[in-house]
Amino acid sequence: MTADSPTGTPTSAPTTAQLDTIRGWRRALHQIPETGFVEHATSDYISQTLASMGIPHVRGVGGTGIVASLKLGDSPRSIGIRADMDGLPIAEETGLDWASRHDGTMHACGHDGHMAMALGAAHVLAAEGGFDGTVHFVFQPSEEHGRGAQAMLDDDLAGRFPMQAIFGLHNTPGLAVGHLHTRPGGLMASEDNFTIRIHGRGGHASGPHMVVDPLVIGAEIVTALQTIVSRSIPSTLPAVVSCTEFVTDGARNAIPSNVTITGDTRSFDPEVQEIMEQRMRALVENICAAHGATGTVEYTHEFAPTINDPASTDAAVAAARAAVGDSRVDGACDPWMASEDFGAFSRVIPGCFLFIGNGATGEHGGVPLHSHDYQFNDDALGAGVSFYVELVRSMLPVEVRA
């Protein structure tokens, strides 16, 4: 969309009427959650909403993704605002009037709110202007699976829609509603998944000396894996190794022949990722060999770490403070060891990701993410929209010409 600059001095805060519209979009999206790469109804709704605002957009980017481009003035500068689209395979138990109409699927992570805030910023900016350049609104599929961002990049997102920087945010239960937190550098961790398979020789529980017990070997491996962080990773670098499943083919009176251990590792540094993988393989191979068993490790890289560009973070923090006030902004928050698919974008395009408060623990919006009774807090919409609008106008300023 190309438009003339509106008259007057626009503000970043949406009006009451605009907020009512944005809230309606959010609740409509909440009713049609879809899992990764099958966000067809969601994509249709976003497309129809963008069309109603007269904003041109391209569908099918990276599957079900959409990129809308709002242009004002003649500056070649451009930035991106990203919102994730997918829901989760969780049955909703909120009792809301606008609860999910798709049985067994729910927006339990607040992506409906993220989409509504991006649409809301587009709504305000299309109506009121106040910037010079192009804003690309990136609606990304399949964030939960960690595949959607790369799918959009593989579809030449960066080449087709050039951006000097890209920004996104995620609602955060436990943080006061409307507060914005971020940090330069590592904000959210990588996630690598592993499956360890141990093959021994099972037998009757009365004769353990006659078997090669993979259960005992597996227990030793679970304990040994904890030494990766404590003895192989510098204490100044965050890292986590978590075993989350331990499955055998034994019975109450039968020692198993096979054990499978699954879990994940998290860090911010590619060298740390490499150390964890190498040490895991060595521990499994050698512990199994010591007991006369065999062991294999399947190790996959699922999520890249989300690393915030310092300059982009400075710009985001300044915009956040202008939008919601100094007391509601933390520009040096603690990192979080959870993972976000935004990390794939941040490897290619400089940018900044932020957390926006959904409500303090024990208050409305404080229920943890991925819970069957989680609720996105509509009171966060105004702060999110205001931040995005302020960010666009500060990064794509209208230059006064004599």
Side-chain angles (χ1 to χ4, degrees), residues 108-123:
C109 204
H111 295 184
D112 50 336
H114 305 164
M115 290 183 282
M117 285 186 275
L119 288 170
H123 182 42

PDB file of all heavy atoms in Angstrom, residues 108-123:
ATOM      1  N   ALA A 108      -3.059 -22.144  22.802  1.00  0.00           N
ATOM      2  CA  ALA A 108      -2.604 -22.215  24.188  1.00  0.00           C
ATOM      3  C   ALA A 108      -1.280 -21.499  24.402  1.00  0.00           C
ATOM      4  O   ALA A 108      -0.709 -21.569  25.489  1.00  0.00           O
ATOM      5  CB  ALA A 108      -2.474 -23.678  24.619  1.00  0.00           C
ATOM      6  N   CYS A 109      -0.762 -20.831  23.355  1.00  0.00           N
ATOM      7  CA  CYS A 109       0.495 -20.109  23.478  1.00  0.00           C
ATOM      8  C   CYS A 109       0.329 -18.634  23.121  1.00  0.00           C
ATOM      9  O   CYS A 109       1.303 -17.890  23.074  1.00  0.00           O
ATOM     10  CB  CYS A 109       1.557 -20.764  22.584  1.00  0.00           C
ATOM     11  SG  CYS A 109       3.254 -20.439  23.108  1.00  0.00           S
ATOM     12  N   GLY A 110      -0.901 -18.231  22.827  1.00  0.00           N
ATOM     13  CA  GLY A 110      -1.161 -16.815  22.579  1.00  0.00           C
ATOM     14  C   GLY A 110      -0.804 -16.306  21.206  1.00  0.00           C
ATOM     15  O   GLY A 110      -0.711 -15.098  21.005  1.00  0.00           O
ATOM     16  N   HIS A 111      -0.629 -17.206  20.232  1.00  0.00           N
ATOM     17  CA  HIS A 111      -0.293 -16.734  18.896  1.00  0.00           C
ATOM     18  C   HIS A 111      -1.438 -15.945  18.276  1.00  0.00           C
ATOM     19  O   HIS A 111      -1.211 -15.100  17.399  1.00  0.00           O
ATOM     20  CB  HIS A 111       0.079 -17.913  17.993  1.00  0.00           C
ATOM     21  CG  HIS A 111       1.315 -18.632  18.420  1.00  0.00           C
ATOM     22  ND1 HIS A 111       1.879 -19.671  17.704  1.00  0.00           N
ATOM     23  CD2 HIS A 111       2.119 -18.461  19.501  1.00  0.00           C
ATOM     24  CE1 HIS A 111       2.960 -20.114  18.323  1.00  0.00           C
ATOM     25  NE2 HIS A 111       3.124 -19.404  19.422  1.00  0.00           N
ATOM     26  N   ASP A 112      -2.667 -16.187  18.742  1.00  0.00           N
ATOM     27  CA  ASP A 112      -3.790 -15.363  18.299  1.00  0.00           C
ATOM     28  C   ASP A 112      -3.576 -13.907  18.699  1.00  0.00           C
ATOM     29  O   ASP A 112      -3.855 -12.982  17.923  1.00  0.00           O
ATOM     30  CB  ASP A 112      -5.105 -15.899  18.853  1.00  0.00           C
ATOM     31  CG  ASP A 112      -5.071 -16.154  20.361  1.00  0.00           C
ATOM     32  OD1 ASP A 112      -3.974 -16.368  20.936  1.00  0.00           O
ATOM     33  OD2 ASP A 112      -6.150 -16.163  20.983  1.00  0.00           O
ATOM     34  N   GLY A 113      -3.046 -13.701  19.895  1.00  0.00           N
ATOM     35  CA  GLY A 113      -2.748 -12.337  20.343  1.00  0.00           C
ATOM     36  C   GLY A 113      -1.620 -11.711  19.561  1.00  0.00           C
ATOM     37  O   GLY A 113      -1.650 -10.517  19.246  1.00  0.00           O
ATOM     38  N   HIS A 114      -0.601 -12.510  19.226  1.00  0.00           N
ATOM     39  CA  HIS A 114       0.520 -11.979  18.440  1.00  0.00           C
ATOM     40  C   HIS A 114       0.053 -11.538  17.054  1.00  0.00           C
ATOM     41  O   HIS A 114       0.452 -10.481  16.559  1.00  0.00           O
ATOM     42  CB  HIS A 114       1.614 -13.045  18.302  1.00  0.00           C
ATOM     43  CG  HIS A 114       2.092 -13.591  19.608  1.00  0.00           C
ATOM     44  ND1 HIS A 114       2.813 -14.768  19.699  1.00  0.00           N
ATOM     45  CD2 HIS A 114       1.960 -13.134  20.877  1.00  0.00           C
ATOM     46  CE1 HIS A 114       3.097 -14.993  20.963  1.00  0.00           C
ATOM     47  NE2 HIS A 114       2.579 -14.023  21.699  1.00  0.00           N
ATOM     48  N   MET A 115      -0.798 -12.360  16.423  1.00  0.00           N
ATOM     49  CA  MET A 115      -1.333 -11.976  15.110  1.00  0.00           C
ATOM     50  C   MET A 115      -2.180 -10.723  15.214  1.00  0.00           C
ATOM     51  O   MET A 115      -2.097  -9.829  14.355  1.00  0.00           O
ATOM     52  CB  MET A 115      -2.155 -13.133  14.523  1.00  0.00           C
ATOM     53  CG  MET A 115      -1.347 -14.336  14.098  1.00  0.00           C
ATOM     54  SD  MET A 115      -2.355 -15.638  13.322  1.00  0.00           S
ATOM     55  CE  MET A 115      -3.107 -16.409  14.765  1.00  0.00           C
ATOM     56  N   ALA A 116      -3.004 -10.637  16.260  1.00  0.00           N
ATOM     57  CA  ALA A 116      -3.868  -9.471  16.428  1.00  0.00           C
ATOM     58  C   ALA A 116      -3.058  -8.194  16.629  1.00  0.00           C
ATOM     59  O   ALA A 116      -3.423  -7.126  16.116  1.00  0.00           O
ATOM     60  CB  ALA A 116      -4.816  -9.691  17.600  1.00  0.00           C
ATOM     61  N   MET A 117      -1.941  -8.283  17.361  1.00  0.00           N
ATOM     62  CA  MET A 117      -1.110  -7.092  17.572  1.00  0.00           C
ATOM     63  C   MET A 117      -0.458  -6.640  16.271  1.00  0.00           C
ATOM     64  O   MET A 117      -0.369  -5.438  16.000  1.00  0.00           O
ATOM     65  CB  MET A 117      -0.067  -7.362  18.654  1.00  0.00           C
ATOM     66  CG  MET A 117      -0.654  -7.378  20.057  1.00  0.00           C
ATOM     67  SD  MET A 117       0.571  -7.513  21.385  1.00  0.00           S
ATOM     68  CE  MET A 117       0.778  -9.282  21.466  1.00  0.00           C
ATOM     69  N   ALA A 118      -0.011  -7.592  15.439  1.00  0.00           N
ATOM     70  CA  ALA A 118       0.565  -7.219  14.150  1.00  0.00           C
ATOM     71  C   ALA A 118      -0.498  -6.608  13.238  1.00  0.00           C
ATOM     72  O   ALA A 118      -0.264  -5.586  12.584  1.00  0.00           O
ATOM     73  CB  ALA A 118       1.206  -8.441  13.488  1.00  0.00           C
ATOM     74  N   LEU A 119      -1.683  -7.236  13.198  1.00  0.00           N
ATOM     75  CA  LEU A 119      -2.775  -6.661  12.410  1.00  0.00           C
ATOM     76  C   LEU A 119      -3.170  -5.293  12.947  1.00  0.00           C
ATOM     77  O   LEU A 119      -3.476  -4.373  12.175  1.00  0.00           O
ATOM     78  CB  LEU A 119      -3.984  -7.602  12.439  1.00  0.00           C
ATOM     79  CG  LEU A 119      -3.874  -8.903  11.638  1.00  0.00           C
ATOM     80  CD1 LEU A 119      -5.046  -9.823  11.969  1.00  0.00           C
ATOM     81  CD2 LEU A 119      -3.832  -8.610  10.135  1.00  0.00           C
ATOM     82  N   GLY A 120      -3.157  -5.156  14.265  1.00  0.00           N
ATOM     83  CA  GLY A 120      -3.511  -3.873  14.869  1.00  0.00           C
ATOM     84  C   GLY A 120      -2.526  -2.778  14.506  1.00  0.00           C
ATOM     85  O   GLY A 120      -2.924  -1.636  14.219  1.00  0.00           O
ATOM     86  N   ALA A 121      -1.244  -3.108  14.506  1.00  0.00           N
ATOM     87  CA  ALA A 121      -0.243  -2.115  14.103  1.00  0.00           C
ATOM     88  C   ALA A 121      -0.435  -1.725  12.646  1.00  0.00           C
ATOM     89  O   ALA A 121      -0.346  -0.541  12.288  1.00  0.00           O
ATOM     90  CB  ALA A 121       1.159  -2.677  14.322  1.00  0.00           C
ATOM     91  N   ALA A 122      -0.720  -2.712  11.798  1.00  0.00           N
ATOM     92  CA  ALA A 122      -0.988  -2.407  10.392  1.00  0.00           C
ATOM     93  C   ALA A 122      -2.210  -1.508  10.265  1.00  0.00           C
ATOM     94  O   ALA A 122      -2.238  -0.571   9.439  1.00  0.00           O
ATOM     95  CB  ALA A 122      -1.197  -3.707   9.618  1.00  0.00           C
ATOM     96  N   HIS A 123      -3.222  -1.783  11.058  1.00  0.00           N
ATOM     97  CA  HIS A 123      -4.463  -1.001  11.050  1.00  0.00           C
ATOM     98  C   HIS A 123      -4.193   0.468  11.397  1.00  0.00           C
ATOM     99  O   HIS A 123      -4.640   1.385  10.699  1.00  0.00           O
ATOM    100  CB  HIS A 123      -5.417  -1.631  12.061  1.00  0.00           C
ATOM    101  CG  HIS A 123      -6.760  -1.005  12.168  1.00  0.00           C
ATOM    102  ND1 HIS A 123      -7.488  -0.584  11.075  1.00  0.00           N
ATOM    103  CD2 HIS A 123      -7.536  -0.729  13.257  1.00  0.00           C
ATOM    104  CE1 HIS A 123      -8.648  -0.089  11.477  1.00  0.00           C
ATOM    105  NE2 HIS A 123      -8.685  -0.166  12.807  1.00  0.00           N
TER     106      HIS A 123
END
